[in-house]
Amino acid sequence: MRKPNILLIYTGGTIGMLKEADTGVLKAFDFDSLLVRIPEIRLLDCVVETVSFGEPIDSSNMNPEYWENMARIIEINYEDYDGFVVLHGSDTMSYSASVLSFMLENLEKPIIFTGSQLPIGDLRTDAKENLITSIQLASLHKEGIPTIREVCLYFEYKLYRGNRTTKINAEHFEAFDSPNYPTLAESGVHLKINHEFLIKEEFKEKLIVRTQLDTNIGVLKLFPGISEPLVKAILDTNGLKGLIIETYGSGNATTEKWFVDLLRKAIAKGLHIINVTQCFGGSVIMGKYATSSQLKSIGVISGKDITTEAAVAKLMYLLGYNISFEEFQFYFEKPLRGEMT
Ligand code: ASP
């Protein structure tokens, strides 16, 4: 039987960085040297080929153009490979995994994002395990059908649904978590796949890559004492089409008149406002408390248990479509790629 073909897409991040001798600053280096540092890849039971961004980036410089670039690399190579591993900086990895999950419609192959907290050349690096296990996970198949058929993120022995993740630690090797959805697989002595949580949908249509994103959006985190001029200034932003409000608890916000009036007027003018909780886990349930029912009644959209990262991705993605205000609310509140419950 033929070995699975895996394409490794190197975008940048700590995994491929080197410390500059004079300043100690971490900077990306070229991908060929990365492979020299992990000869173990050749021992895997799959064929690994690589493609790299012309100029690898620190993921803090991630933007929609790079997302389109990644999606096009996958599109061009989709028929020739059984799975894809994307090496990416951890800082914005959850955003990229979320965006790619929306961009790739009818996906039936694994796209696994991974990276590391320490560069591959560091003696104590976490890069090798992350990379090798990601490739193994991307190679899993049964009778020619890939086991994983969605956009995932693998880090420190755990495979997560990408659009459910959030970066939780800048220092620990366990840098990610998926607060509202179980892990898809765990790596111990054996690879344990939690089949019941994987997306199993089979599509009649081929892969469609949708790259039209609209970045006219904002994120506003509420805090006690937030001022009217600040909220007004954000809502008055030229061209703003969508705003995510990070509220308290299960979607609660101040009931002060000026706040509700500002939101009501903005919605009436056509702004999509999404309610996402600033809690690490749990869900927005508008109407549970009096402090959220006013939001529901003025037409705020519920983000349910979506992460802010996935909400940013979904908002940019849905704004790229020419749909009515009602359809927009309908699609935002409905899980499209397993990003909400
Ligand atoms: N600043 C780095 C990046 O996101 C951090 C990392 O790779 O983990 O590109």
Side-chain angles (χ1 to χ4, degrees):
M1 221 174 89
R2 80 165 175 85
K3 290 183 176 184
N5 284 331
I6 304 299
L7 186 63
L8 204 54
I9 304 168
Y10 177 56
T11 69
T14 300
I15 193 161
M17 290 186 181
L18 271 184
K19 250 191 200 138
E20 270 186 343
D22 42 343
T23 60
V25 170
L26 285 172
K27 280 201 166 164
F29 68 100
D30 76 277
F31 190 60
D32 296 338
S33 6
L34 180 80
L35 283 185
V36 171
R37 282 160 204 269
I38 329 171
E40 291 91 338
I41 287 184
R42 296 199 177 83
L43 303 175
L44 290 166
D45 204 17
C46 55
V47 180
V48 180
E49 287 180 50
T50 59
V51 55
S52 170
F53 271 14
E55 287 209 13
I57 57 161
D58 183 301
S59 78
S60 306
N61 282 319
M62 189 48 64
N63 63 35
E65 239 173 82
Y66 290 124
W67 285 328
E68 171 157 10
N69 203 350
M70 274 184 240
R72 294 288 172 221
I73 293 175
I74 292 167
E75 181 178 34
I76 292 165
N77 293 287
Y78 193 70
E79 294 306 328
D80 296 331
Y81 292 87
D82 301 289
F84 301 82
V85 173
V86 183
L87 296 180
H88 192 291
S90 62
D91 288 347
T92 60
M93 198 188 290
S94 294
Y95 289 92
S96 294
S98 299
V99 167
L100 268 283
S101 76
F102 291 110
M103 281 183 163
L104 305 173
E105 198 174 311
N106 306 328
L107 180 68
E108 290 189 322
K109 294 189 179 182
I111 314 287
I112 302 188
F113 279 77
T114 194
S116 66
Q117 290 283 56
L118 285 176
I120 197 97
D122 195 292
L123 214 50
R124 294 175 48 253
T125 189
D126 51 332
K128 285 193 185 183
E129 201 286 321
N130 286 347
L131 175 54
I132 287 170
T133 308
S134 294
I135 297 174
Q136 283 187 323
L137 287 163
S139 311
L140 294 177
H141 60 92
K142 203 171 172 194
E143 286 150 19
I145 300 188
T147 305
I148 295 156
R149 305 144 66 82
E150 55 182 297
V151 179
C152 299
L153 187 155
Y154 181 80
F155 226 86
E156 193 62 4
Y157 303 107
K158 287 188 184 138
L159 182 75
Y160 308 99
R161 176 164 301 153
N163 58 28
R164 290 293 196 142
T165 61
T166 191
K167 185 171 178 182
I168 53 158
N169 203 297
E171 197 173 322
H172 293 168
F173 285 142
E174 190 156 357
F176 289 89
D177 204 348
S178 165
N180 288 327
Y181 198 74
T183 48
L184 303 181
E186 279 136 58
S187 160
V189 174
H190 303 287
L191 279 183
K192 182 175 171 287
I193 311 297
N194 299 325
H195 289 276
E196 67 273 37
F197 301 125
L198 295 173
I199 291 180
K200 293 182 197 78
E201 232 171 315
E202 282 176 32
F203 300 101
K204 289 193 191 75
E205 315 276 312
K206 285 192 161 186
L207 178 81
I208 303 173
V209 177
R210 303 199 185 270
T211 56
Q212 72 284 25
L213 297 179
D214 192 326
T215 55
N216 287 303
I217 69 160
V219 180
L220 170 64
K221 182 170 184 158
L222 295 189
F223 55 90
I226 193 165
S227 71
E228 183 171 352
L230 177 85
V231 177
K232 192 168 178 328
I234 291 172
L235 291 171
D236 284 346
T237 305
N238 220 343
L240 189 72
K241 294 184 188 159
L243 181 68
I244 294 161
I245 301 197
E246 283 195 358
T247 56
Y248 311 121
S250 53
N252 309 318
T254 173
T255 50
E256 281 182 77
K257 190 170 177 304
W258 66 263
F259 181 75
V260 182
D261 282 350
L262 279 180
L263 298 197
R264 183 187 295 112
K265 276 186 207 141
I267 292 171
K269 278 199 212 147
L271 184 73
H272 303 284
I273 300 187
I274 321 292
N275 186 348
V276 171
T277 175
Q278 51 185 257
C279 287
F280 175 63
S283 184
V284 163
I285 310 172
M286 285 197 289
K288 184 173 175 191
Y289 288 89
T291 46
S292 66
S293 41
Q294 83 284 12
L295 301 180
K296 191 175 181 182
S297 68
I298 61 172
V300 170
I301 297 170
S302 176
K304 301 185 179 174
D305 62 351
I306 201 168
T307 59
T308 298
E309 292 88 331
V312 164
K314 193 170 186 177
L315 191 48
M316 286 186 187
Y317 169 74
L318 284 181
L319 284 173
Y321 282 88
N322 197 6
I323 49 177
S324 72
F325 206 75
E326 291 69 32
E327 280 173 315
F328 191 96
Q329 171 152 17
F330 172 79
Y331 285 114
F332 202 98
E333 292 185 344
K334 174 183 150 98
L336 300 179
R337 306 281 192 270
E339 75 284 2
M340 53 167 62
T341 306

